[in-house]
Amino acid sequence: MTKPRIAQNATPAGTRLLGFGSTQGNRIVTNDDLAKLVDTNDEWIRQRVGIIHRRLGDESQTVVSMAVEAGAKAVADAGLTPGDIDQVIVATCTMPGGIPNAAAQVSDQIGIKAQSAFDVNAACAGFVYALSVASDAVRAGSARNVLVIGSERFQEWLDWEDRGNCIIFADGAGAAVVGPAEEPEIGPGVLGSAGDLVDTIYLREGKYIYQEGQSVFRWATTQIAPVAARAVEAAGLKLSDVDVLVPHQANLRIVEAIARKLQSQGARDDLVVARDIVYSGNTSSASIPLAIDHMRGAGEISSGDVMLLVGFGAGLSYSAQVAVCP
Ligand code: UT7
């Protein structure tokens, strides 16, 4: 008896980014505002972290509502309608309670009758994890167009008396749409974790984000540039092919250190580097798409630019991927 033959999905030649969208907390919070809450000052925060102001959500803005706003904008920017999207992935580490997830609500509220909707938690590395899963799903033919969103509302997870941590984080969401392409425009995701360093970022008293700042800083400035370089190699490119570097916006000094390291290894002097943290703060899984959306809006980057996206954070987790700007 001959075995029945299993059918698999028809597959496109490649995948690409089709559009972006973002939103931020409605409240602008300056360093001077924070100096009224904790023993800090504008000069320290600018010099050590690079933030001039960050944005926090008002009472109406939740992980879900910000994801809906950013996601709907990305679908429109892609020239698609909600009916064209068949998978929604929300990267988040600040969804209250964990159950229910964010993605099913986001999908419903945008009007997407998605065949699949799920959350990814790889903290600040989460957006590129989700993007990588999305690109692989489209490539494998299991989804046609995937909406990928990073959304975070940090303010309830911060101890507003802990000056080392409350000055860094912020609220916002960024989104991208991934679809099929005749020519590949998204490289393989390079994903990984360092679970032995789990104790360097955790929830203190089960409530407040706490990080051993210097340990994470050292790890990020020594271990992450090689991950970024591997993503470029995996895409079959050279570092000199990269036009735009978009690292997770954790600290401006980390962003600059990664850029310098890559430039010492062949990245160009005219590499455009995302410095969105200055006016957005650290929005974890939202920071990469938020930065890209802002840079596109400001005309700092253009369609066709080769972008190198690099995430890193709690877990510890890391991720890097090359993608062409839509
Ligand atoms: O997004 C997830 C991944 N996270 C990261 O990548 C974050 C990595 N780490 C960092 O960005 C930095 O380590 C921090 C921004 C968290 C801290 O900066 P730092 O330069 O490493 O400061 P530090 O913790 O070594 O503290 C230096 C000094 C200390 O005072 P003493 O002990 O030297 O007298 C702190 O108490 O600065 C003090 N300090 C502050 N002073 C004014 C800490 N926070 C503040 C503050 N204002 N907000």
Side-chain angles (χ1 to χ4, degrees):
M1 205 173 82
T2 52
K3 276 191 175 177
R5 196 176 156 79
I6 304 288
Q8 292 195 317
N9 293 321
T11 56
T15 61
R16 66 187 176 111
L17 290 170
L18 300 173
F20 275 91
S22 69
T23 189
Q24 289 183 275
N26 286 333
R27 291 192 294 131
I28 293 178
V29 179
T30 66
N31 296 336
D32 288 339
D33 292 334
L34 293 179
K36 292 175 194 147
L37 298 177
V38 286
D39 181 14
T40 191
N41 57 76
D42 182 54
E43 190 189 355
W44 192 94
I45 298 174
R46 283 189 196 222
Q47 280 183 2
R48 309 295 286 192
V49 197
I51 299 175
I52 290 179
H53 68 61
R54 77 283 296 133
R55 301 180 70 122
L56 298 179
D58 64 24
E59 282 175 11
S60 71
Q61 293 179 292
T62 64
V63 169
V64 169
S65 77
M66 290 188 289
V68 167
E69 191 176 337
K73 286 179 184 170
V75 173
D77 186 54
L80 300 177
T81 65
D84 296 317
I85 305 293
D86 45 17
Q87 185 170 90
V88 178
I89 310 176
V90 177
T92 184
C93 61
T94 54
M95 185 64 186
I99 296 176
N101 70 8
Q105 299 170 74
V106 171
S107 176
D108 176 65
Q109 289 179 33
I110 298 178
I112 296 168
K113 302 288 174 234
Q115 287 160 8
S116 64
F118 56 94
D119 292 0
V120 162
N121 181 351
C124 307
F127 180 78
V128 178
Y129 263 80
L131 178 63
S132 177
V133 169
S135 179
D136 287 352
V138 175
R139 181 81 179 87
S142 54
R144 182 162 172 82
N145 296 302
V146 183
L147 176 59
V148 185
I149 308 171
S151 184
E152 307 282 8
R153 180 176 163 104
F154 263 101
Q155 55 183 292
E156 280 81 24
W157 301 90
L158 298 173
D159 175 355
W160 289 97
E161 293 180 357
D162 173 7
R163 67 177 181 172
N165 288 290
C166 73
I167 55 128
I168 300 168
F169 293 100
D171 303 336
V177 177
V178 179
E182 284 173 16
E183 283 290 321
E185 294 191 1
I186 300 178
V190 171
L191 311 176
S193 60
D196 53 320
L197 298 174
V198 64
D199 289 340
T200 57
I201 308 180
Y202 58 92
L203 279 189
R204 188 164 54 77
E205 298 160 32
K207 288 196 285 204
Y208 304 123
I209 301 270
Y210 177 79
Q211 53 181 339
E212 280 176 21
Q214 287 194 6
S215 307
V216 182
F217 188 94
R218 234 182 346 266
W219 172 77
T221 51
T222 56
Q223 305 301 311
I224 298 305
V227 175
R230 271 168 47 207
V232 175
E233 197 182 331
L237 301 180
K238 299 187 294 298
L239 277 170
S240 56
D241 294 319
V242 176
D243 300 304
V244 185
L245 173 66
V246 193
H248 162 50
Q249 304 288 293
N251 182 322
L252 192 58
R253 289 189 293 143
I254 297 176
V255 168
E256 311 276 10
I258 293 173
R260 272 197 307 274
K261 206 156 248 182
L262 293 175
Q263 281 169 326
S264 75
Q265 290 165 11
R268 301 196 311 266
D269 289 343
D270 67 352
L271 180 70
V272 175
V273 180
R275 293 180 172 85
D276 197 55
I277 186 170
V278 175
Y279 294 107
S280 296
N282 176 344
T283 56
S284 188
S285 68
S287 82
I288 290 173
L290 203 53
I292 294 170
D293 199 42
H294 287 168
M295 292 165 90
R296 281 177 87 219
E300 293 167 20
I301 60 176
S302 314
S303 176
D305 282 353
V306 174
M307 307 188 293
L308 173 55
L309 319 185
V310 191
F312 53 90
L316 296 180
S317 309
Y318 52 85
S319 52
Q321 193 158 26
V322 166
V324 174
C325 184

